[in-house]
Amino acid sequence: MKFHIDVDGDSEKINPDINKVIDDCRTHPGLYGKYGIAFSKEWAMDNNIQPVMYINDKSFYAKHFRETIQYLRAQNDVDDILVDELLQKMAYIKPIEGKMKRKFGVHSIEFKKNFHDEREWRFVPQDEILEEKKIPPVCFARPSFSILYGEINRELEKEDFLKVALNFDYEDVRYLIVPDNNQRKMMIEYILGLPEDNFKSVDINDKYKEKCALISKILVLDEIKEDW
């Protein structure tokens, strides 16, 4: 399914190949990538994953939210519970629409996108874990914070930060999405080569069956496009 995007500037001056790429960006795989791991909605709900609240910047809700933040910033002493509540809300909100940039070769294309089309669900670790690892619950999109983003991402790759991650077992996976048949073959080989200790079963034959079950969940994006 394609969603609507408005390209800023004169897109007619961009060569046809780039226009084709822009058109591909009107789909979720074209914009965010052709690989994916899918889980059930029930699993998401059981693991503290929350649908994002999309905010209309012109609404009374947004106006009241901004006024609340401004009021609290003006106070000398604010209760921690109130601050935590506000940060939790901020961690789960997103504007209905906004601008995104994508670079295609020498061209940098900025376009307007309706984020509500994504129906995003989001995982935010518990406050206690974030405090323990000294990770801010909310990072603001300002140029001065670009270095902070990189530092956080590098830290999250370390084994010491596993408690921050959203953990799952192979049996929790609903689908594994790959772009084409060649990638499916590579994925099958990878799964067959996974260490036996990664699987819950005790018997070696049952471990192999678990691998086969995981392989059966592979979906090829090219085939999905043809069938749907």
Side-chain angles (χ1 to χ4, degrees):
M1 183 182 73
K2 290 191 175 183
F3 43 72
H4 178 75
I5 60 174
D6 293 315
V7 179
D8 279 7
D10 189 356
S11 61
E12 293 180 357
K13 293 181 180 179
I14 302 172
N15 69 60
D17 291 337
I18 299 300
N19 276 325
K20 173 63 169 61
V21 176
I22 293 172
D23 190 58
D24 289 341
C25 282
R26 302 181 196 278
T27 67
H28 193 94
L31 188 60
Y32 294 110
K34 298 181 179 180
Y35 296 86
I37 303 177
F39 300 88
S40 70
K41 187 176 292 185
E42 289 73 22
W43 181 87
M45 293 171 66
D46 290 340
N47 283 271
N48 301 313
I49 303 177
Q50 170 70 25
V52 166
M53 177 183 288
Y54 293 92
I55 302 298
N56 171 15
D57 189 55
K58 300 176 183 177
S59 68
F60 290 125
Y61 182 93
K63 178 177 180 293
H64 177 70
F65 195 75
R66 285 192 295 267
E67 289 174 348
T68 301
I69 294 174
Q70 291 169 359
Y71 171 78
L72 293 178
R73 290 183 63 186
Q75 307 307 306
N76 294 324
D77 185 24
V78 181
D79 192 287
D80 288 343
I81 295 178
L82 189 56
V83 173
D84 290 342
E85 171 69 15
L86 195 62
L87 289 175
Q88 276 290 315
K89 280 190 169 69
M90 293 177 68
Y92 286 103
I93 64 174
K94 191 171 185 175
I96 288 180
E97 59 183 19
K99 291 185 178 181
M100 296 182 65
K101 273 190 177 181
R102 283 293 184 271
K103 192 168 184 179
F104 309 112
V106 297
H107 296 281
S108 182
I109 310 298
E110 187 173 75
F111 54 88
K112 187 177 179 181
K113 186 175 186 301
N114 184 340
F115 294 122
H116 188 262
D117 291 333
E118 299 171 354
R119 305 293 194 274
E120 179 184 342
W121 286 54
R122 186 175 293 176
F123 171 74
V124 178
Q126 295 180 4
D127 293 342
E128 297 80 10
I129 298 176
L130 293 174
E131 290 176 6
E132 177 188 338
K133 298 301 179 182
K134 297 181 180 178
I135 298 176
V138 177
C139 291
F140 295 93
R142 296 176 182 170
S144 58
F145 283 89
S146 59
I147 298 176
L148 179 60
Y149 293 151
E151 290 179 356
I152 292 174
N153 286 333
R154 284 190 291 273
E155 289 297 313
L156 291 175
E157 293 175 359
K158 298 178 181 178
E159 188 173 349
D160 186 46
F161 284 78
L162 286 177
K163 288 200 298 184
V164 182
L166 175 61
N167 297 308
F168 62 90
D169 296 318
Y170 292 135
E171 62 186 21
D172 297 323
V173 175
R174 191 72 171 266
Y175 303 114
L176 293 169
I177 301 170
V178 296
D180 52 47
N181 272 312
N182 184 52
Q183 294 296 315
R184 172 162 57 186
K185 292 175 183 177
M186 294 177 64
M187 180 66 74
I188 291 172
E189 292 178 2
Y190 179 80
I191 292 173
L192 291 175
L194 285 171
E196 308 299 336
D197 292 344
N198 287 18
F199 296 86
K200 290 183 176 181
S201 299
V202 177
D203 186 87
I204 188 67
N205 291 323
D206 290 335
K207 289 179 182 289
Y208 177 73
K209 291 176 183 177
E210 285 190 58
K211 290 185 178 183
C212 291
L214 190 57
I215 289 171
S216 71
K217 298 176 181 181
I218 300 175
L219 296 179
V220 178
L221 191 60
D222 285 348
E223 295 178 354
I224 296 174
K225 290 178 180 178
E226 291 176 4
D227 294 341
W228 294 92

